[in-house]
Amino acid sequence: MIEVKGLKKSFEVENPKKLSEQEKKDPRLKGRYFHSVESVSFTCDKGTVLGLLGPNGAGKTTTLRMLSTALKPEQGSLVIDGEDVLKKPVEARKRIGFLSGSTGLYGRLTGRENIAYFGQLHGMDKNAIKQRIDELAELLDLHTFLDRRSENFSTGMKQKTAIARAVVHNPAVVILDEPTTGLDIMAAQTVLDFIRHLKTLSTPVVFSTHHLDEVAELCDKVCVIHQGNSVFEDDLAAFSALGEGVLSHSFLKTIKQEA
């Protein structure tokens, strides 16, 4: 189970003159600091897929990076299966599978070598890594390019390899930042099928997306972030009811109510 409560994170603005007019009007800009996340809370139980929604710049990626331990919040709490992430970040990382917005593969390594390297970082032995890569190759349809150098991969190949790398150690929770962005229909469907597979394993999954059809297809729960604050958190049925069954209307309604 994932429990996120009252997260807050700000960043110093190095050169305020370079901010866009939209950024200057954002109420989160206070003096030389931009408060990217002001108060975000949500929970995600075992076997639950939570869709994290919000406009561009709402604070979704910052929230996920804090949850993954890549960033440290200024306030708030993060708990995974009863363990305090902030007090034990090294232990928490062993339990988390995190896919950031950038695949970050090592171009001179093959797909297999990229995945194996991260397995080694997690302390897995060679036999366990080989077995896990074989399993992930089936689930994510990696066979045709697994042994090619990743610098020549398409966007879809890179994304699927990056997902395999993120979950090679069988994490207790999985966090995905816009996992289908830039993918063609077939590659995106493979990723969505993999999220379904994680659900059958009772693995909590939090993923951010702009695609409401993915939310309708996969999510049990929805959290909407607007201007650094969580403005909606409930199950998919409650979210859908806001817009009388039209998710785009539901989303716009949560944003407008907050505004």
Side-chain angles (χ1 to χ4, degrees), residues 34-91:
F34 184 79
H35 297 260
S36 178
V37 173
E38 295 197 309
S39 181
V40 168
S41 304
F42 59 82
T43 61
C44 185
D45 296 326
K46 287 187 175 180
T48 296
V49 177
L50 181 144
L52 196 63
L53 306 180
N56 287 331
K60 302 186 299 299
T61 293
T62 301
T63 296
L64 294 183
R65 292 186 69 194
M66 286 190 282
L67 181 55
S68 73
T69 76
L71 287 176
K72 186 176 181 180
E74 294 159 13
Q75 290 183 22
S77 62
L78 296 164
V79 177
I80 294 177
D81 291 343
E83 291 288 340
D84 190 317
V85 173
L86 301 180
K87 290 181 179 179
K88 298 181 179 179
V90 175
E91 289 300 313

Side-chain angles (χ1 to χ4, degrees), residues 46-136:
K46 287 187 175 180
T48 296
V49 177
L50 181 144
L52 196 63
L53 306 180
N56 287 331
K60 302 186 299 299
T61 293
T62 301
T63 296
L64 294 183
R65 292 186 69 194
M66 286 190 282
L67 181 55
S68 73
T69 76
L71 287 176
K72 186 176 181 180
E74 294 159 13
Q75 290 183 22
S77 62
L78 296 164
V79 177
I80 294 177
D81 291 343
E83 291 288 340
D84 190 317
V85 173
L86 301 180
K87 290 181 179 179
K88 298 181 179 179
V90 175
E91 289 300 313
R93 288 182 196 122
K94 297 176 182 178
R95 305 178 64 80
I96 297 169
F98 176 54
L99 176 75
S100 68
S102 172
T103 58
L105 299 178
Y106 295 103
R108 300 182 72 175
L109 299 182
T110 66
R112 186 185 302 275
E113 289 168 341
N114 268 286
I115 301 167
Y117 175 60
F118 273 73
Q120 292 169 4
L121 291 178
H122 283 288
M124 300 172 65
D125 62 44
K126 289 184 178 180
N127 288 334
I129 290 172
K130 182 181 183 305
Q131 183 177 350
R132 180 62 170 158
I133 290 176
D134 289 342
E135 178 185 357
L136 291 169

Side-chain angles (χ1 to χ4, degrees), residues 8 13 41 58 61-62 81 133 149 151 157 160 170 183 189 195 206 216 225 256:
K8 183 175 182 178
V13 179
S41 304
T61 293
T62 301
D81 291 343
I133 290 176
R149 284 171 59 157
E151 63 187 358
M157 293 173 184
K160 290 194 284 186
N170 280 305
L183 303 188
Q189 193 59 53
I195 294 174
V206 177
I225 298 178
K256 289 177 179 178

Side-chain angles (χ1 to χ4, degrees), residues 142-157:
L142 308 177
H143 289 296
T144 58
F145 57 87
L146 191 58
D147 293 303
R148 290 165 47 187
R149 284 171 59 157
S150 60
E151 63 187 358
N152 299 316
F153 283 1
S154 68
T155 300
M157 293 173 184

Side-chain angles (χ1 to χ4, degrees), residues 114-214:
N114 268 286
I115 301 167
Y117 175 60
F118 273 73
Q120 292 169 4
L121 291 178
H122 283 288
M124 300 172 65
D125 62 44
K126 289 184 178 180
N127 288 334
I129 290 172
K130 182 181 183 305
Q131 183 177 350
R132 180 62 170 158
I133 290 176
D134 289 342
E135 178 185 357
L136 291 169
E138 288 292 333
L139 291 169
L140 289 164
D141 192 24
L142 308 177
H143 289 296
T144 58
F145 57 87
L146 191 58
D147 293 303
R148 290 165 47 187
R149 284 171 59 157
S150 60
E151 63 187 358
N152 299 316
F153 283 1
S154 68
T155 300
M157 293 173 184
K158 288 179 179 178
Q159 191 75 328
K160 290 194 284 186
T161 303
I163 291 172
R165 183 186 63 181
V167 300
V168 65
H169 58 302
N170 280 305
V173 303
V174 174
I175 304 162
L176 306 171
D177 191 3
E178 299 187 11
T180 62
T181 297
L183 303 188
D184 62 32
I185 294 174
M186 295 298 292
Q189 193 59 53
T190 298
V191 172
L192 298 181
D193 288 342
F194 182 69
I195 294 174
R196 279 195 200 85
H197 170 72
L198 292 172
K199 184 174 179 177
T200 66
L201 301 177
S202 295
T203 303
V205 178
V206 177
F207 80 103
S208 64
T209 182
H210 290 292
H211 303 294
L212 293 176
D213 56 330
E214 295 177 359

Side-chain angles (χ1 to χ4, degrees), residues 224 231-232 239 242 250-258:
V224 180
V231 296
F232 178 90
F239 182 65
L242 284 176
S250 301
F251 176 74
L252 292 172
K253 190 170 183 178
T254 63
I255 300 303
K256 289 177 179 178
Q257 283 180 341
E258 178 62 15

